[in-house]
Amino acid sequence: MTQNIKKRIFSGVQPSGNLHIGNFLGAIKQWVDLQDEYDSVFSVVDYHAITVKYDPNVLKKKIIEIAKIYIAGGINSERVIIFQQSDVRAHTELCWILNAVSARISDLNKMTQFKDKAGLGNVNVGVGLYDYPVLMAADILLYNTDIVPVGDDQLQHVELARDLAKRFNHDYEKIFKIPEAKIIKQGARIMGLDNPEKKMSKSAKSDLSRIGLLDKPRLAMKKIMKATTDIGAEIKFCPKEKPGISNLLTIYSLLGNIEIKKLEKKYTNKMYGEFKKDLAEIVAEFLNNFQKKYNKTDDKQITEILTAGAKKAEPIAEETLLKVKRAIGLK
Ligand code: AMP
Ligand code: TRP
């Protein structure tokens, strides 16, 4: 009889900034949908968060906040592993090894997120920001990951993880599984509410650009009402011609569980104002439910979940690391 071994997914979010509905719809909602089908490992990737300027006291709180958001979002902590990246030392160890034996400057020079974050010609950023994708590769490869569910901005990083794994396997020994990115068809790139040409981000200057998962529902409703729409009154999904309304349709469809086609029908000959009012209600209801669960979980419980998660993650990561150390001649 063949044993039914589940494939593994691994993903993570940085404990920085304020998580928004883009993070939820692009990443966490996918994890929730996949958690039963896959053996799931989700990390709070704190070592990634320290690659840009941050406040240590805020970071401490954010680590707990992110884990709480995973749970309020629907991750089942009894069945999946949730852990803090820095609790498992193998991540930075494998990162160093990959830096030395597999990653090339030419790989990292291609990374668009680094270029965006560092700015052109800026040499005053930390080396960690440059090396960030190699740490991410280590995260993924330590767990024999099959699938990495992320928003589409992370695709290039997952591709690097694949390249490093293949190079290592070729140069030393076939140890790493080659992971695949899983990008959802709808919601992989939620755009800013004030500027639908730019993705919704934690770091955009205007708070009106995003709906935070912990925003007061009333404030979120106001943000929806203020969201930029497009020329022409038609409520139609067409990201090129109507980026604003298409983005709002995507959010409505995902949070309200209604197909975009049905929404287009429902709002034929209706005004933007009416559509936005309904969407504002949907968003407020989502936030209310989410925040109720968020507020129910206490910090102590979260610390226990993270400690238990690290205990489960560590042996998996250590086993891979030991194989790697043997293959490269350290053991
Ligand atoms: P980060 O905020 O960079 O830690 O991202 C956490 C996860 O959210 C990653 O999987 C991202 O790809 C995803 N993500 C971030 N912003 C968006 C967005 N605007 N739309 C969809 N997914 C996003
Ligand atoms: N770089 C990812 C982001 O900003 C976070 C991350 C770190 C990650 N390590 C990972 C995502 C491993 C998936 C798998 O969103």
Side-chain angles (χ1 to χ4, degrees), residues 268-323:
T268 312
N269 298 326
K270 299 262 167 71
M271 310 283 270
Y272 283 160
E274 189 178 341
F275 169 78
K276 279 181 164 180
K277 237 174 97 199
D278 291 350
L279 173 58
E281 295 284 345
I282 300 260
V283 169
E285 193 188 322
F286 163 75
L287 291 179
N288 261 325
N289 289 338
F290 176 85
Q291 289 169 14
K292 241 186 239 158
K293 283 189 240 154
Y294 182 90
N295 292 325
K296 254 204 277 174
T297 331
D298 75 4
D299 293 4
K300 205 172 141 246
Q301 202 180 338
I302 293 293
T303 311
E304 284 166 13
I305 288 172
L306 289 175
T307 309
K311 276 207 184 112
K312 287 188 223 153
E314 193 164 31
I316 308 172
E318 281 296 332
E319 192 185 328
T320 309
L321 184 65
L322 183 62
K323 284 188 200 157

Side-chain angles (χ1 to χ4, degrees), residues 109-129:
N109 283 347
K110 289 184 204 144
M111 297 292 126
T112 56
Q113 192 169 78
F114 174 75
K115 289 183 209 166
D116 290 347
K117 283 193 181 170
L120 258 186
N122 192 343
V123 289
N124 278 327
V125 293
V127 175
L129 187 64

Side-chain angles (χ1 to χ4, degrees), residues 141 161 197:
L141 300 178
E197 308 283 341

Side-chain angles (χ1 to χ4, degrees), residues 60 106 136 141-142 163 184 202:
K60 251 192 248 172
S106 58
M136 179 162 161
L141 300 178
L142 278 173
D163 289 345
I184 38 163
K202 287 171 177 172

Side-chain angles (χ1 to χ4, degrees), residues 10-14 45 48 132 136 139-140 148 150 154 157:
F10 183 99
S11 197
V13 172
Q14 301 181 65
V45 286
H48 280 102
Y132 173 119
M136 179 162 161
D139 297 340
I140 297 168
V148 188
V150 280
Q154 296 300 314
H157 291 158

Side-chain angles (χ1 to χ4, degrees), residues 233-287:
E234 219 183 336
I235 296 172
K236 195 179 76 175
F237 186 79
C238 180
K240 277 222 177 92
E241 280 167 35
K242 303 197 132 223
I245 213 73
S246 301
N247 189 42
L248 296 181
L249 275 166
T250 302
I251 297 171
Y252 195 144
S253 163
L254 291 168
L255 292 183
N257 265 323
I258 314 177
E259 280 169 41
I260 289 189
K261 284 252 166 301
K262 288 197 179 141
L263 287 173
E264 285 176 336
K265 246 197 203 150
K266 182 171 174 189
Y267 290 99
T268 312
N269 298 326
K270 299 262 167 71
M271 310 283 270
Y272 283 160
E274 189 178 341
F275 169 78
K276 279 181 164 180
K277 237 174 97 199
D278 291 350
L279 173 58
E281 295 284 345
I282 300 260
V283 169
E285 193 188 322
F286 163 75
L287 291 179

Side-chain angles (χ1 to χ4, degrees), residues 54-70:
Y54 73 99
D55 175 339
N57 289 316
V58 175
L59 177 64
K60 251 192 248 172
K61 292 195 190 113
K62 285 278 161 195
I63 291 166
I64 300 292
E65 184 184 299
I66 296 289
K68 239 175 167 169
I69 284 176
Y70 287 179

